[in-house]
Amino acid sequence: MVKRRTIKLASSIIISAILLSGCGLFKKEQAIKEVDPPQDVSYLKEGQQVTNPTAGKEEKATETVKRELYFIDKNGFVVPQTLELPKTDAVAKQALEYLVQGGPVTDMLPNGFRAVLPVDTRVLGVKIEKDGTIIADFSPEFAKYKPEDERKILEAITWTLTQFDNVKKVKIRINGHDQSVMPVNGTPIQDGMSRADGINIDTSGVVDITNTHPVVVYFVAQQGEKTYYVPVTRRIPNKETDDITATVNELVKGPTYGSGLVSDFQPDVQLVTKPSYENGKVTLNFNDAIYGSNKKHVISDHVLNALVLSLTEQKGVESVAIMVNGKANLVREDGKALSAPVTRPENVNTGSF
């Protein structure tokens, strides 16, 4: 289940943490509502295009906007990085162009990260359909990737494009031809990929995957002295009907050994009461172990960020409030009281390494 950023593609006839935003934890980023007109497309004569409602109202030469793009890190994980890109009407096409190796993103990539699309890949165009499916058309160079990167490429494209609210699924074309499978290893695409198909899928310990469903949890990785957050899809037995509790339990369980990921959760962290949900807000009531090795009442930034990022991936969850043994008197690492529910950041992993 996914809570996307409030960035929209509107169709027409032609058509310490490294986070921002939120209440009580993150600096709020003003929501951006944009849409994307396909560029340099001759075969999409009747396809929907997208236009930017703010186009022409402000200077474009020096304007930039934050975009959440997905790259591959040193551990082989597909990871979001928020970069400042030139403002354009063609937001989806531009986002894909910044995924190309040797392309405009080259000098912007953090250390240890690489772009996902093969060198010289061109984005021939994008088209969004009424059902929320976006079709990305690439030049033949798209197929020149290593087999082991196939799933990562598909995840990076899908998660980059579905940051826009009304994009639900992603289909791929090569030189105008629909692809039902990926061109190298044959990973199925069929009627489109969505965030429900997962990212950095971890099935360790899962015996029968057919009787499971996904939840996304965020763990921490490190590059030099900087840290960043990595989404991982875990499979939960279908008999587990409380995905909020299941997500917390997966965070406490921590990352797979040898993955290169870490967690600030202590193994004895427990929810002392069942989570409550009301009007988009989840309230969690933990035992004292949630403090970890910190002083009493102080909650780790990484623990707080991981909870907020993970839980707001679920449909309908907009904010997270935290209590300990029924009391809401927590303090953040900077000494400020955690006095309000925390919302999801508009942008994830905004630091430069």
Side-chain angles (χ1 to χ4, degrees):
M1 300 292 187
V2 177
K3 167 113 174 22
R4 297 189 185 87
R5 315 313 165 261
T6 54
I7 305 173
K8 294 188 177 182
L9 291 174
S11 57
S12 66
I13 298 298
I14 313 177
I15 334 223
S16 270
I18 312 168
L19 303 170
L20 294 175
S21 134
C23 178
L25 175 63
F26 303 110
K27 178 180 178 182
K28 185 65 176 177
E29 183 78 19
Q30 183 177 3
I32 304 171
K33 295 182 179 181
E34 293 178 332
V35 287
D36 192 5
Q39 302 291 321
D40 304 319
V41 183
S42 59
Y43 65 90
L44 297 178
K45 294 182 180 179
E46 297 181 359
Q48 291 176 302
Q49 299 181 350
V50 280
T51 56
N52 186 348
T54 63
K57 294 183 179 180
E58 299 177 345
E59 293 288 337
K60 291 185 176 181
T62 59
E63 277 190 297
T64 60
V65 292
K66 291 182 173 65
R67 287 285 174 259
E68 194 171 280
L69 309 178
Y70 285 75
F71 305 107
I72 299 174
D73 76 351
K74 63 178 182 179
N75 298 313
F77 291 109
V78 180
V79 180
Q81 287 289 327
T82 299
L83 303 179
E84 294 272 359
L85 305 187
K87 194 169 185 179
T88 178
D89 290 338
V91 292
K93 184 173 185 288
Q94 180 195 56
L96 293 174
E97 290 171 341
Y98 274 75
L99 300 185
V100 178
Q101 297 173 26
V105 77
T106 300
D107 294 333
M108 305 171 68
L109 279 172
N111 293 337
F113 284 78
R114 62 183 173 93
V116 298
L117 300 183
V119 174
D120 295 330
T121 298
R122 289 174 292 119
V123 183
L124 302 181
V126 294
K127 181 178 75 169
I128 185 168
E129 301 181 326
K130 291 181 179 179
D131 66 351
T133 298
I134 194 168
I135 302 172
D137 189 22
F138 298 98
S139 65
E141 290 82 2
F142 173 81
K144 297 179 180 179
Y145 55 82
K146 295 179 180 179
E148 60 268 27
D149 281 345
E150 181 165 280
R151 177 77 197 188
K152 297 171 186 177
I153 290 170
L154 197 52
E155 290 174 0
I157 292 172
T158 299
W159 283 64
T160 293
L161 291 178
T162 54
Q163 71 183 278
F164 305 109
D165 256 353
N166 58 338
V167 174
K168 310 303 179 186
K169 294 190 299 183
V170 176
K171 290 183 178 180
I172 291 176
R173 287 177 178 168
I174 298 179
N175 210 30
H177 299 284
D178 291 331
Q179 305 294 303
S180 60
V181 298
M182 288 288 280
V184 177
N185 268 359
T187 300
I189 302 172
Q190 298 176 359
D191 64 342
M193 298 291 291
S194 72
R195 292 197 174 195
D197 292 299
I199 185 169
N200 301 316
I201 299 172
D202 178 3
T203 58
S204 57
V206 177
V207 177
D208 182 8
I209 197 170
T210 61
N211 287 319
T212 64
H213 62 276
V215 296
V216 176
V217 290
Y218 282 75
F219 297 119
V220 177
Q222 189 161 359
Q223 174 65 36
E225 295 182 355
K226 303 293 185 178
T227 57
Y228 57 92
Y229 294 90
V230 178
V232 174
T233 298
R234 290 272 175 85
R235 304 294 305 189
I236 305 300
N238 287 338
K239 64 181 181 181
E240 298 284 349
T241 58
D242 181 356
D243 282 356
I244 293 173
T245 297
T247 297
V248 172
N249 290 340
E250 290 301 317
L251 286 170
V252 174
K253 185 187 299 182
T256 302
Y257 179 77
S259 65
L261 303 177
V262 297
S263 171
D264 269 9
F265 285 82
Q266 298 297 312
D268 51 348
V269 170
Q270 291 183 342
L271 290 166
V272 297
T273 57
K274 184 177 179 179
S276 64
Y277 173 86
E278 183 178 7
N279 297 326
K281 182 183 76 172
V282 167
T283 301
L284 305 173
N285 185 19
F286 288 102
N287 62 357
D288 288 335
I290 195 67
Y291 296 132
S293 58
N294 287 324
K295 297 177 181 179
K296 189 175 182 181
H297 302 312
V298 178
I299 186 169
S300 159
D301 285 344
H302 286 322
V303 167
L304 185 58
N305 296 346
L307 284 168
V308 173
L309 288 170
S310 301
L311 290 172
T312 55
E313 285 287 351
Q314 298 189 21
K315 185 177 181 179
V317 177
E318 299 174 358
S319 64
V320 179
I322 297 177
M323 305 174 70
V324 177
N325 294 322
K327 297 180 180 180
N329 57 351
L330 284 77
V331 177
R332 295 178 299 170
E333 287 185 0
D334 61 5
K336 295 180 180 180
L338 187 60
S339 57
V342 182
T343 57
R344 185 184 181 89
E346 294 291 342
N347 306 113
V348 181
N349 297 335
T350 60
S352 59
F353 303 160

